[in-house]
Structure formats: C-alpha cells, structure tokens
Amino acid sequence: MISNPLPAITLNVTKEIYNYHIIAGAFRAPENAEKKLQSLLQKGYNAKILGINKWNLTEVAFESFIDKNEAINKLYQIKKTESEDAWLLNKEY
C-alpha cells in the first residue's frame, strides 16, 4: 500500500488530422501500390498508403497535410516537378 500517492495528472492531447492528401496513384494490385510507395520514399517524400477506396483501388499519397493551403502549394510544386497527374484528395470526416 502506498500511503502517500502522487497526484493525478491530466493531459490535454489534440490529435492532428491530416485531411488533405496529394495522390500519386490508385492501384488495383497492392504490390504496385507498394512499389510506388517505395519509389516516393526514396525520392524523399513523406509518402504513405491511404488504404482502399470505394472502387477497390489502393491509394498512394505523395504527402498528407493538415492545412489546405499548404497542401495546394505542394500540389502545384509536385505537378511542375514530379507528376502532372497528381491531384488533391480532401478526406474530411
């Protein structure tokens, strides 16, 4: 038994929600999505697989953002330098 316990601490933690995703591609075969992911990671992007969309395609993002303006600015940069086919996905829930 502890006769003198420490007081409880309450932490307020806010979860950062990344709603804006710059899409590099959507793939029927998961192994193709993984190849694209690895390629983007090697190029220095903070890429990730977002999951499977309603058309049963695996979506791969160059990067994801909290701020819409930041996402749009990066999208323009990617369209100029990496892929004209990149587009912005807004997944606000």
Side-chain angles (χ1 to χ4, degrees), residues 69-88:
N69 291 329
E70 188 179 347
I72 290 170
N73 289 335
K74 187 68 173 187
L75 173 63
Y76 288 139
Q77 180 185 349
I78 287 172
K79 282 182 158 290
K80 287 180 184 177
T81 61
E82 187 72 37
S83 172
E84 291 182 2
D85 296 329
W87 54 280
L88 185 63

Side-chain angles (χ1 to χ4, degrees), residues 2-71:
I2 299 174
S3 60
N4 189 10
L6 295 173
I9 298 175
T10 303
L11 297 175
N12 292 324
V13 178
T14 50
K15 182 179 177 184
E16 293 182 331
I17 299 173
Y18 293 81
N19 287 330
Y20 304 99
H21 311 278
I22 300 173
I23 301 300
F27 303 89
R28 180 113 12 241
E31 56 272 12
N32 291 339
E34 185 61 36
K35 285 180 191 175
K36 185 66 170 181
L37 173 68
Q38 293 307 317
S39 170
L40 295 174
L41 290 171
Q42 287 178 355
K43 291 179 180 182
Y45 290 101
N46 189 16
K48 65 176 107 176
I49 292 178
L50 298 179
I52 298 174
N53 66 18
K54 65 181 177 181
W55 296 283
N56 205 30
L57 300 173
T58 303
E59 295 175 322
V60 180
F62 281 97
E63 296 189 39
S64 299
F65 298 87
I66 297 168
D67 180 70
K68 183 177 182 179
N69 291 329
E70 188 179 347

